[in-house]
Amino acid sequence: MTVRAGSAVDAATAVIFATFMALMSQFARVTQPEARPPTAFGLALLVVCGLALALRRRNPLFTFTLAVGTAVAYLGWRFAGWPIYLGAFAGLLALVSGVTAVRVWVPFATVGGVAMAVATGPPEGWQPAPMITIAVVWAAVTVLAARATQVRRKLAEEEAAGRVVEERLRIARELHDVLSHSLATISLQAGVGLHLVDDRPEQAREALQAIRQVSNDALAQARAALSVVRGPSEESRQAPPALADLGALVTSVRGAGLGVDLAVDLGSRAIPDVISATAYRIVQEALTNVMRHAGPGARARTHVGTVDGWLEIDVTDDGIGAAVPGRSPGHGLHGLAERARAVGGELQAGPASGGGFTLHARLPLGAER
């Protein structure tokens, strides 16, 4: 909810509350026959007390002062009393929940409580019972409101901290996926260039050009990921990679020397942007793992398709990476599993039955799930 929308809700609530207190004052005198009949001045005090709540977000201290001040004046004139207490206590809640500094709101709440208790007694004479009752209720409401506000603020802080951690993890995953793939490609291309630099310099030049292109793409994607920390910018508004970019990804991987078969069968189904971006990252990291671990001569097969409201992703290879003893899933696979779970999907990866490595992920497409 925006600040403007919140202010509109507060204004509407204040009008309804003021109207309610003004109407109830006509019936309050039935239980207080000795009270002064409501007059235009008394109704004006009730309305002002209620309307003070319209400013509870912008200036809770002023709201409290205005609400309690009009309530004390109303009681001092001996108008029928109970509706005005609602306005005073509403002002108290606005003060305690809206002012964070305890050293500020405690003195105001104390003075307000004393003023309300005193105004309940005169001018016919001191009335200890109602005065003590108002003082006790006022103190109890203050303590409960302070406790509730403290809990609410703590939960808000924990939620904000959780969002920060989640955003850090998201940026870390983005950087890992971008840098891991790019560095693996650069490493393979550099190896090709070193091998060919003497005998076939033209092909070595092509490898160097590929390294330059991969490096530039990696820098652009890294800047886009980090720009979120610095704030909105032209880079942060760049669209993330999606399924439509798989062709370029596979071309880059093939240029690095890895054989890749790609099959994409989406039919006419529209793929949500977040699912499309997640699917791209999964394929990217899976192919990166093949380049890093499958060994020379390995070949990867990638299939992306839709099945019963799910986007299915399969990446398999015939390499030797899964057979290396002592190798445990790295940060990449953990990051991919987190990506899949973040959008409501699941991911499984491990050695294939006939050798090599296989990765399977399924991501929900929405309403058909």
Side-chain angles (χ1 to χ4, degrees):
M1 180 181 292
T2 63
V3 174
R4 181 175 298 180
S7 299
V9 171
D10 288 344
T13 302
V15 170
I16 295 173
F17 189 54
T19 303
F20 171 78
M21 288 199 301
L23 292 175
M24 288 299 100
S25 68
Q26 305 302 314
F27 301 98
R29 194 163 178 269
V30 175
T31 58
Q32 295 177 274
E34 76 286 354
R36 176 177 294 178
T39 63
F41 176 66
L43 291 176
L45 291 174
L46 283 167
V47 170
V48 171
C49 183
L51 293 180
L53 295 179
L55 301 175
R56 69 179 185 88
R57 295 179 197 261
R58 296 183 179 180
N59 197 331
L61 190 58
F62 177 76
T63 294
F64 171 80
T65 303
L66 187 59
V68 173
T70 52
V72 170
Y74 186 90
L75 293 172
W77 280 83
R78 305 308 292 160
F79 293 116
W82 71 262
I84 199 67
Y85 286 107
L86 299 178
F89 279 106
L92 175 63
L93 295 177
L95 173 72
V96 176
S97 61
V99 179
T100 56
V102 176
R103 67 179 183 276
V104 174
W105 68 257
V106 166
F108 276 87
T110 302
V111 172
V114 172
M116 288 294 295
V118 172
T120 302
E124 288 84 356
W126 298 107
Q127 302 174 22
M131 291 173 64
I132 293 175
T133 300
I134 291 298
V136 171
V137 173
W138 188 272
V141 171
T142 302
V143 172
L144 293 175
R147 177 58 180 166
T149 300
Q150 183 182 21
V151 172
R152 177 174 56 82
R153 287 174 181 160
K154 183 178 180 180
L155 292 176
E157 291 173 356
E158 292 176 351
E159 182 179 355
R163 286 196 298 267
V164 170
V165 172
E166 183 178 350
E167 184 63 14
R168 287 175 177 173
L169 289 175
R170 188 194 68 79
I171 294 174
R173 287 195 298 266
E174 287 289 328
L175 290 177
H176 174 276
D177 293 348
V178 170
L179 297 179
S180 176
H181 173 77
S182 301
L183 292 176
T185 303
I186 289 171
S187 177
L188 289 178
Q189 292 282 15
V192 171
L194 288 174
H195 180 70
L196 300 176
V197 66
D198 294 326
D199 300 331
R200 285 177 282 182
E202 287 302 319
Q203 293 186 19
R205 179 186 297 273
E206 293 178 0
L208 291 175
Q209 290 175 342
I211 289 174
R212 181 179 182 181
Q213 182 61 47
V214 171
S215 301
N216 290 336
D217 292 343
L219 287 173
Q221 294 185 47
R223 284 195 298 267
L226 292 175
S227 65
V228 176
V229 179
R230 297 192 297 267
S233 66
E234 189 65 30
E235 291 173 344
S236 65
R237 290 192 292 268
Q238 292 180 355
L243 288 174
D245 301 307
L246 284 181
L249 172 66
V250 169
T251 299
S252 173
V253 172
R254 288 171 178 165
L258 175 66
V260 182
D261 297 324
L262 174 65
V264 179
D265 182 15
L266 303 179
S268 59
R269 182 64 188 266
I271 309 299
D273 291 343
V274 64
I275 299 299
S276 182
T278 301
Y280 176 91
R281 291 303 188 194
I282 289 176
V283 174
Q284 180 188 50
E285 179 63 18
L287 293 178
T288 299
N289 286 338
V290 176
M291 286 191 292
R292 293 174 59 192
H293 305 306
R299 189 172 190 85
R301 293 171 296 279
T302 302
H303 178 267
V304 181
T306 57
V307 179
D308 297 331
W310 294 84
L311 183 69
E312 303 270 355
I313 303 169
D314 289 285
V315 181
T316 60
D317 68 74
D318 54 6
I320 61 171
V324 176
R327 173 167 289 161
S328 59
H331 295 293
L333 289 180
H334 287 303
L336 292 185
E338 290 175 354
R339 282 184 181 276
R341 287 194 297 268
V343 296
E346 56 188 33
L347 182 143
Q348 297 176 341
S353 57
F357 200 81
T358 181
L359 178 147
H360 174 74
R362 57 202 306 257
L363 310 176
L365 294 177
E368 294 183 12
R369 178 182 171 184

